[in-house]
Amino acid sequence: MAQTTTLTLPPKKKIPRKKVIRNWIIVAFLVAMYAWTFSSIGINWGQIFSERTLNNMTRVVPQLFSPEWAVAPDALRLMGETLAMAYTGTLMAALLAVPFGFFAAKNMFNSRIINTSAKWSLDAIRAFPEIMLALIFVAAIGPSPFAGVLAIAVGSIGMLGKLYSEVIESIDMQVVDSLEANGANKLQILFYGIIPQVIPEFLSYAIYRYEIDVRSSTILGLIGAGGIGMMIQISTMNRNWDEVGMALLIIIAVVTVIDYASSSIRKRIV
Amino acid sequence: MTKTTANPSQGSFDPSNPPGLRAQQAKWKLTFVFAAIVLVYMFTSWQTGSSLIDLWFGMPDVWRMVGELFPPNWGYATETWGRLSETIQMAIIATTVAGILCIPISLMASSNIAPNKWVYNITKQIMNILRTIPDLLLAVIFVGIFGIGAFSGIMALIIFSLGILAKLLAETIEAIDKNPLEAIRASGGNTIQVIVYGVIPQILPQYTSFTLYVFEINVRASLVLGFVGAGGIGQLLQRSISFFQYGRAMMIIIIIFVAVVIIEYISGKIREEIL
Amino acid sequence: MIEFKNTSLVYPNGTQGLKDVNIKINEGEFVVIVGLSGAGKSTLIRSVNRMVTPTDGELLVDGEDILSYNGRQLRDLRTKVGMIFQNYNLVKRSTVMKNVIAGRLGHTGTMRSILNLYSNEDKSLAYHNLQRVNISEKVHSRADELSGGQQQRVSIARVLTQQPKVILADEPVASLDPPTSHQVMTYLRKVNKEDKITTLVNLHFIDMAMEYADRIIGMRAGEVVFDGPASTVTEKTFEEIYGRKIREEDMVGGDEDDENNG
């Protein structure tokens, strides 16, 4: 074996200059980002690794895992309220999102101004977390499930409107064209040509959004907007972590069931 | 015989089951579903005090509130900078930690890599449970343990994003080409070498994309963690609203909006580039 | 030396993979195993590096029974017994070099391999093996940029980089067209002769088996039904092994520059 004495190393890999520069920019950016993050974040390590934390840990964690069954009826009632809030809000959003969806769909309105302004307003709504909207609604109309419903209704329009517009853009336009050729008016085209094509997908997306809204409405109560979150807020203030544990257990169970039910219904629809 | 075949429609006609009946049935079904949706709505809107009547009477309050939010207190913007950076820093740290932790967890949660069925099922179930717990609820719990501050928020974000990342990544790992893994095993590679040489190169683009996606989610989530005392700009928003300083509140809302839009734009562009 | 002693294998679902196999393969031999699909060729080959584990009997590699191996011993065995697959089994998104250097994994510590710290000897060996199969110009290409034949050559280079004493090739040309198949078989044959590596190849093309093998082993239903030098084999022998008449699909046809794809 001659090659044991003379090594033939593979030629160096040629990396294009542009790629080298790009890689260095990425590295520099990452270094700068982490340097900035770790140099300026204010974490009070003394507070975190303190005896108090240890005490909290030994009190909070065991209590969380031994739920207080006495509050189960209350928690279930409030969970019911949460589900109702999510339902009312999602349904309102599902209806309100329809015009947005049509305005944003290119094949419905052949106007860039209408399309983009509808798309932008949908994107704008999506940028706001629901709980932030809830904070404003609570300030406006007082702490109540109503504030939560409004937050969900407004907050869900963004995503639903966007998904609706995608559904509308993917429909079979030949049906619409042939109805038009038969002399149908705009409203007839809408009801006979478009709506039947989009209803299953619209419904499926609304159900999917309900799934999301159930999760988010469980926490709206933390800032006074009704539902099981209210119980969690009160229990944490009173440091009754076993009650929080109960609420948590119910949330996990109900959310799991809703997710499962929702996905099996959606599978049947589409 | 030629007659009957010449007129097939006659043969298929059945007077007891006229055409259109199936359509009729579908119509009934649709009406029933529609009625059920409306009935449930009537009940839930009554239960939550948010019927159309409530909406009618509540709207003036909402509009008054919107009016009070304007004009924003532009001068306040400079004072929010520190909290805004904290928000983004929390998201960066949480995404980094979750991005590292999710690798071993997702390997254990993928049926083709997990050492055995037990590890696979247990990890997967724990991740499923984690995903059902809302981020803010985790924050409440961590605030209860570690006290008020960014650390509690970071912990909440880590746990929250771990559930999402591990699921997405495990699905990707389960879909990889397993032939190369067989080859590496057949050449004497151990499990870690199989992962590093066979699994990781195959999932790297998706991994980067998912991590960026989770970063977006974490930024949004960390904006509101302050509502429960877990650090970030949310704390300022809550304070200004409870002190009726609506101009300040609006300023924060604008800043949040701009921050979210910028970060999602950048992250979206990078993700497009990768995949 | 590889020796099967009354070796049998029953899969958990009850399928009999191997049935009382007794063969002895000498060092440096080029053995082709033929049989219909499901005859147990793959099981036989994969037993040698314990990708499957026989349930009965003994299987000696260099005089040691490998059936009880696990952990470190098993990885050492696999380091010494290389394997080539029908679908090349390269990591498609990795470069050719990275795929070939992966042949050193069994010789390299976990930490070193993670950090990509290979010695110049290892790198040189990998590159030299790429040169031997005439694909060194693709060293920095990604594996998915290569054609099937090129990928199979890379996988030969990977196996050589492992510096094995035995090479197992499980249907190495089943996914290739006839000219490329001949090329790959020629390389395998060359390596076998030059490095004296014992080579076991599964094939189902009879003309190829006769052209390249020193010795042919025929299998049917998990049993060895023929074992003899390639020179003694005729079409009649194959008809006995297959239990039916020879058909056109049993031939790869063509030679190195034949355009006919049969």
Side-chain angles (χ1 to χ4, degrees):
Chain A
M1 279 195 158
Q3 71 274 12
T4 45
T5 46
T6 52
L7 297 178
T8 46
L9 283 175
K12 277 265 181 287
K13 190 176 175 179
K14 283 200 194 76
I15 308 165
R17 204 184 176 78
K18 233 173 118 184
K19 219 173 167 186
V20 176
I21 295 169
R22 201 197 68 170
N23 288 348
W24 277 109
I25 291 173
I26 292 173
V27 169
F29 174 78
L30 286 175
V31 168
M33 185 182 87
Y34 282 111
W36 171 68
T37 300
F38 287 105
S39 66
S40 61
I41 190 147
I43 293 177
N44 184 351
W45 293 105
Q47 176 201 324
I48 287 146
F49 295 106
S50 65
E51 211 168 312
R52 221 183 82 210
T53 302
L54 205 67
N55 288 338
N56 285 341
M57 194 91 84
T58 50
R59 200 183 56 244
V60 175
V61 178
Q63 279 197 35
L64 272 178
F65 285 97
S66 51
E68 171 59 82
W69 289 91
V71 294
D74 250 357
L76 278 173
R77 187 180 55 77
L78 283 165
M79 192 67 210
E81 188 172 273
T82 295
L83 294 180
M85 278 163 54
Y87 184 86
T88 320
T90 310
L91 189 65
M92 282 165 73
L95 296 176
L96 292 171
V98 173
F100 279 99
F102 275 91
F103 284 128
K106 282 192 195 89
N107 53 349
M108 291 294 124
F109 289 87
N110 196 7
S111 146
R112 275 195 73 156
I113 304 170
I114 296 181
N115 292 159
T116 32
S117 54
K119 275 207 173 100
W120 278 30
S121 20
L122 290 172
D123 283 343
I125 297 171
R126 276 193 314 143
F128 295 111
E130 275 175 0
I131 189 144
M132 203 172 91
L133 297 170
L135 194 69
I136 295 163
F137 284 121
V138 167
I141 55 179
S144 60
F146 184 30
V149 170
L150 286 177
I152 292 166
V154 174
S156 307
I157 293 175
M159 185 186 115
L160 283 178
K162 187 178 180 243
L163 292 171
Y164 284 4
S165 75
E166 282 165 10
V167 172
I168 296 169
E169 279 176 355
S170 70
I171 64 167
D172 180 3
M173 285 302 279
Q174 282 175 344
V175 179
V176 176
D177 290 344
S178 67
L179 280 173
E180 216 160 25
N182 287 346
N185 66 31
K186 287 241 182 292
L187 215 59
Q188 285 169 325
I189 292 174
L190 180 66
F191 278 96
Y192 287 90
I194 299 166
I195 300 228
Q197 289 195 57
V198 297
I199 277 281
E201 264 105 347
F202 276 23
L203 202 59
S204 161
Y205 282 136
I207 294 171
Y208 175 58
R209 182 67 210 189
Y210 180 66
E211 226 178 281
I212 299 175
D213 284 338
V214 167
R215 277 162 208 250
S216 53
S217 57
T218 54
I219 53 171
L220 294 181
L222 292 172
I223 54 156
I228 197 161
M230 307 248 275
M231 179 178 155
I232 294 169
Q233 191 203 15
I234 294 165
S235 305
T236 35
M237 275 195 312
N238 298 334
R239 303 198 150 262
N240 291 329
W241 292 97
D242 46 354
E243 291 176 17
V244 178
M246 190 66 232
L248 205 57
L249 188 66
I250 286 176
I251 289 177
I252 291 170
V254 172
V255 169
T256 308
V257 170
I258 298 256
D259 281 5
Y260 180 76
S262 148
S263 65
S264 62
I265 293 175
R266 281 187 288 128
K267 253 181 224 148
R268 281 180 57 184
I269 293 178
V270 181
Chain B
M1 178 174 162
T2 38
K3 257 182 192 169
T4 47
T5 47
N7 193 353
S9 66
Q10 202 173 20
S12 67
F13 182 74
D14 174 4
S16 67
N17 185 15
L21 193 70
R22 281 184 63 84
Q24 203 78 21
Q25 269 176 349
K27 219 173 221 169
W28 275 113
K29 213 168 143 189
L30 216 65
T31 316
F32 173 75
V33 170
F34 182 71
I37 290 174
V38 172
L39 275 174
V40 175
Y41 170 74
M42 281 161 71
F43 172 72
T44 59
S45 65
W46 164 76
Q47 198 203 1
T48 56
S50 49
S51 63
L52 294 176
I53 303 163
D54 296 299
L55 207 61
W56 178 258
F57 286 110
M59 268 308 137
D61 285 330
V62 173
W63 291 124
R64 204 187 52 237
M65 177 75 194
V66 172
E68 282 182 51
L69 285 170
F70 288 95
N73 182 347
W74 299 103
Y76 185 60
T78 50
E79 287 174 55
T80 61
W81 178 245
R83 287 289 180 190
L84 180 65
S85 349
E86 185 180 62
T87 306
I88 294 166
Q89 287 162 346
M90 282 162 63
I92 291 173
I93 297 175
T95 310
T96 309
V97 175
I100 295 165
L101 291 181
C102 80
I103 295 172
I105 292 175
S106 56
L107 287 167
M108 287 192 285
S110 2
S111 51
N112 51 345
I113 305 288
N116 59 54
K117 257 201 158 111
W118 282 96
V119 173
Y120 164 70
N121 279 323
I122 291 172
T123 325
K124 209 174 148 173
Q125 285 316 320
I126 291 176
M127 290 298 119
N128 281 342
I129 290 173
L130 278 190
R131 273 202 315 285
T132 63
I133 308 176
D135 44 359
L136 219 56
L137 201 46
L138 291 168
V140 168
I141 293 168
F142 284 117
V143 168
I145 297 172
F146 298 109
I148 283 177
F151 186 81
S152 305
I154 292 170
M155 289 298 293
L157 292 179
I158 290 172
I159 302 291
F160 176 67
S161 40
L162 207 52
I164 304 174
L165 261 181
K167 182 196 176 196
L168 290 172
L169 207 56
E171 280 170 1
T172 312
I173 294 171
E174 282 176 355
I176 64 172
D177 176 8
K178 58 183 192 316
N179 284 336
L181 316 189
E182 188 187 28
I184 294 167
R185 228 173 264 136
S187 68
N190 60 32
T191 309
I192 293 171
Q193 289 170 329
V194 167
I195 290 166
V196 173
Y197 278 75
V199 179
I200 289 184
Q202 292 196 57
I203 61 167
L204 208 53
Q206 285 91 340
Y207 171 75
T208 321
S209 171
F210 293 151
T211 312
L212 281 166
Y213 169 65
V214 162
F215 177 63
E216 276 174 51
I217 294 180
N218 277 340
V219 169
R220 281 157 172 282
S222 65
L223 292 168
V224 295
L225 288 179
F227 294 177
V228 294
I233 200 168
Q235 219 162 314
L236 294 182
L237 181 60
Q238 202 205 14
R239 201 187 301 152
S240 33
I241 283 182
S242 50
F243 292 151
F244 307 108
Q245 297 161 323
Y246 294 131
R248 287 185 170 192
M250 192 60 209
M251 189 64 240
I252 297 168
I253 291 171
I254 293 171
I255 288 172
I256 288 181
F257 177 74
V258 173
V260 168
V261 169
I262 292 175
I263 286 173
E264 293 207 341
Y265 179 79
I266 296 173
S267 156
K269 276 275 170 247
I270 300 175
R271 281 199 284 145
E272 260 172 45
E273 188 93 337
I274 296 169
L275 289 184
Chain C
M1 196 177 68
I2 302 164
E3 195 173 358
F4 286 76
K5 277 189 181 165
N6 305 321
T7 316
S8 294
L9 188 150
V10 182
Y11 284 107
N13 65 10
T15 316
Q16 182 107 34
L18 296 177
K19 207 163 157 189
D20 206 23
V21 173
N22 281 295
I23 43 178
K24 201 162 159 187
I25 291 156
N26 301 313
E27 238 164 287
E29 263 187 315
F30 194 96
V31 182
V32 171
I33 298 145
V34 295
L36 294 170
S37 62
K41 308 190 295 280
S42 222
T43 309
L44 183 83
I45 272 203
R46 282 162 186 259
S47 297
V48 179
N49 65 348
R50 283 276 313 280
M51 296 303 274
V52 296
T53 306
T55 45
D56 219 356
E58 275 175 69
L59 175 46
L60 308 180
V61 174
D62 289 341
E64 260 190 82
D65 189 4
I66 60 160
L67 296 188
S68 59
Y69 280 8
N70 51 42
R72 185 69 246 175
Q73 277 177 310
L74 189 57
R75 287 200 300 277
D76 283 342
L77 167 76
R78 288 174 177 175
T79 306
K80 166 162 97 168
V81 181
M83 191 160 196
I84 289 169
F85 303 83
Q86 175 180 347
N87 299 310
Y88 336 125
N89 295 13
L90 303 179
V91 183
K92 302 234 165 33
R93 293 187 43 88
S94 295
T95 62
V96 166
M97 186 63 188
K98 182 138 192 195
N99 270 296
V100 174
I101 204 88
R104 297 306 296 166
L105 286 177
H107 300 272
T108 313
T110 308
M111 225 34 222
R112 283 176 77 92
S113 63
I114 290 175
L115 298 174
N116 229 340
L117 298 172
Y118 290 96
S119 66
N120 279 346
E121 282 78 15
D122 286 355
K123 287 185 210 160
S124 156
L125 178 67
Y127 188 63
H128 174 72
N129 287 326
L130 281 169
Q131 284 174 328
R132 287 181 75 186
V133 292
N134 266 326
I135 194 137
S136 59
E137 75 281 359
K138 298 280 186 194
V139 60
H140 295 306
S141 304
R142 254 169 61 159
D144 53 7
E145 293 165 3
L146 272 53
S147 69
Q150 291 174 322
Q151 290 195 37
Q152 194 61 295
R153 271 143 68 193
V154 171
S155 91
I156 294 175
R158 172 174 64 188
V159 118
L160 290 177
T161 305
Q162 197 176 321
Q163 293 182 309
K165 296 178 77 174
V166 179
I167 290 179
L168 311 170
D170 194 5
E171 297 279 6
V173 298
S175 308
L176 300 173
D177 58 26
T180 321
S181 300
H182 281 292
Q183 208 184 30
V184 166
M185 287 305 291
T186 309
Y187 280 120
L188 279 177
R189 175 86 195 174
K190 186 178 128 194
V191 163
N192 159 259
K193 291 288 164 267
E194 287 177 7
D195 297 8
K196 310 267 181 295
I197 300 176
T198 314
T199 307
L200 274 76
V201 185
N202 276 345
L203 286 177
H204 59 266
F205 297 123
I206 59 177
D207 48 349
M208 233 176 196
M210 296 201 306
E211 186 173 344
Y212 294 97
D214 293 335
R215 170 176 167 192
I216 289 178
I217 292 176
M219 291 192 73
R220 190 167 67 208
E223 280 180 284
V224 172
V225 291
F226 176 84
D227 185 357
S231 50
T232 65
V233 171
T234 60
E235 283 204 7
K236 186 107 179 52
T237 325
F238 279 105
E239 281 177 359
E240 278 166 23
I241 294 170
Y242 285 16
R244 62 162 169 75
K245 283 249 176 274
I246 297 304
R247 301 173 189 156
E248 186 143 5
E249 75 217 35
D250 301 324
M251 308 281 203
V252 68
D255 215 321
E256 259 149 281
D257 44 17
D258 197 330
E259 294 301 296
N260 159 35
N261 42 357

